[in-house]
Amino acid sequence: MSNRESRHLMVPEGLDGMRVDAALAKLLGISRTVAAELAQAGDVLVDGAVVGKSDRLAADTWLDVTLPAAPEPLLPKAEPVEGMDILHSDDDIIVVNKPVGVAAHPTVGWEGPSVIGGLAAAGYRISTSGPPERKGIVQRLDVGTSGGMVVAASERAYTVLKRAFRDRSVTKTYHALVQGHPDPLQGTIEAPIGRHPSAGWRFAVTTDGKHSVTHYNTLEAFREATLLEIHLETGRTHQIRVHFSALHHPCCGDPMYGSDPALSARLGLDRQWLHAVSLGFTHPADGRYVEFHAPYPDDLQGALDVLRQG
């Protein structure tokens, strides 16, 4: 059964002589591309006759448009997530230590587990605020990155935490094991990040990218790699991985951004060594500052053990 919606409206004076695709974009708030596709499919009629995207409209004629069906919402599957530890939960927030290979929420093309699905399976109440597939989600970690992540349990928490992440008042600390030795030992990387010009699934430092700032400090130096503590001032996709790759110090175990496969194999890594170790923010219920720490998972700890043994 179709859930397509039809619109019947008169062409106003202001759109007299305008192309069909441009006029539909203005009238209905859809993109010009979608408007052109509707016309091409025969879903746009003027006074009962089908019109093309480049035909011109006349004022005071009747326009009938059949809009495309709304996509089905991506609802999370309630299924247990192995290895996802609950670091803290109360009436307002749930803080998890997200394992690698788990998405924050369902996305198109992702068939694997999600934090939201795991919490639902465990019986936790999650805020009803937000889009259907992202209810309660106030921050995200990449599927390939492990560590601490907070989910809103109440509507109040969703509002407060969304604002806190937007205003960058949340303290997010990451640890990353990068190849070689960054010089200086501590510093700030300020370089814009955008889509890679030749590989859309990757990101890169680009002149027309978004403003991105990463602060780092050396925690421990090994012969082949360095363990860093990192604070993000901005939160771009793959920001840490892109910034250190641009400095020729990619995260160990990260072939997408240039890691050495031989070193990855020696360290037993099949994903980037990157972990969200702590998260600090003002609790939405009472305003006190809280901080939560997420221990390293076994694969990342094992790589450090190999390096420490020389």
Side-chain angles (χ1 to χ4, degrees):
M1 185 171 152
S2 173
N3 63 346
R4 300 187 71 187
E5 179 187 352
S6 295
R7 296 282 182 89
H8 181 68
L9 57 164
M10 184 176 279
V11 177
E13 283 286 342
L15 300 187
D16 185 57
M18 187 176 285
R19 281 174 55 117
V20 165
D21 52 1
L24 284 181
K26 280 186 174 295
L27 274 172
L28 303 175
I30 58 178
S31 74
R32 196 159 168 171
T33 302
V34 168
E37 289 171 353
L38 289 174
Q40 192 171 356
D43 289 329
V44 183
L45 288 75
V46 173
D47 286 344
V50 173
V51 292
K53 65 178 182 180
S54 56
D55 289 342
R56 303 283 171 171
L57 292 179
D60 300 328
T61 54
W62 283 99
L63 188 63
D64 286 283
V65 185
T66 304
L67 295 170
E72 290 295 319
L74 285 166
L75 299 176
K77 291 181 290 186
E79 57 183 9
V81 174
E82 186 178 348
M84 186 172 79
D85 297 326
I86 307 298
L87 302 175
H88 172 86
S89 69
D90 58 39
D91 290 341
D92 289 282
I93 60 173
I94 308 160
V95 184
V96 305
N97 189 357
K98 185 187 86 65
V100 67
V102 177
H105 58 79
T107 56
V108 175
W110 175 251
E111 299 291 334
S114 70
V115 170
I116 292 301
L119 291 176
Y124 286 91
R125 183 195 185 274
I126 299 167
S127 169
T128 56
S129 301
E133 76 281 9
R134 298 201 300 273
K135 289 192 184 302
I137 291 290
V138 292
Q139 67 156 144
R140 285 177 285 187
L141 288 179
D142 290 344
V143 170
T145 300
S146 54
M149 181 179 147
V150 62
V151 176
S154 69
E155 285 62 51
R156 167 178 62 183
Y158 182 87
T159 301
V160 172
L161 290 173
K162 264 291 195 186
R163 186 184 307 125
F165 278 100
R166 185 194 65 211
D167 296 344
R168 300 175 189 166
S169 61
V170 178
T171 303
K172 297 178 288 185
T173 305
Y174 295 80
H175 285 182
L177 184 70
V178 302
Q179 291 181 192
H181 306 99
D183 183 17
L185 297 177
Q186 64 181 53
T188 296
I189 306 166
E190 190 167 353
I193 291 175
R195 290 278 179 187
H196 193 284
S198 62
W201 39 270
R202 283 172 56 197
F203 291 80
V205 170
T206 59
T207 53
D208 59 348
K210 292 181 179 177
H211 176 68
S212 308
V213 182
T214 303
H215 305 284
Y216 72 92
N217 183 45
T218 295
L219 293 176
E220 196 170 355
F222 307 100
R223 185 167 55 85
E224 299 166 284
T226 304
L227 180 64
L228 302 175
E229 180 175 273
I230 295 168
H231 293 274
L232 296 181
E233 195 170 306
T234 54
R236 308 303 176 204
T237 302
H238 297 181
Q239 179 171 322
I240 294 170
R241 300 163 67 191
V242 170
H243 270 173
F244 284 96
S245 175
L247 294 183
H248 307 292
H249 297 293
C251 290
C252 295
D254 191 6
M256 183 187 290
Y257 289 104
S259 67
D260 175 8
L263 179 59
S264 300
R266 193 168 80 79
L267 298 180
L269 290 172
D270 55 13
R271 56 104 164 195
Q272 67 262 18
W273 204 115
L274 179 61
H275 186 70
V277 291
S278 70
L279 197 60
F281 50 86
T282 299
H283 196 289
D286 54 22
R288 64 195 162 92
Y289 182 78
V290 291
E291 193 165 281
F292 303 98
H293 298 268
Y296 295 157
D298 291 344
D299 60 337
L300 302 191
Q301 184 61 56
L304 287 182
D305 294 341
V306 170
L307 288 171
R308 286 170 180 153
Q309 289 161 9

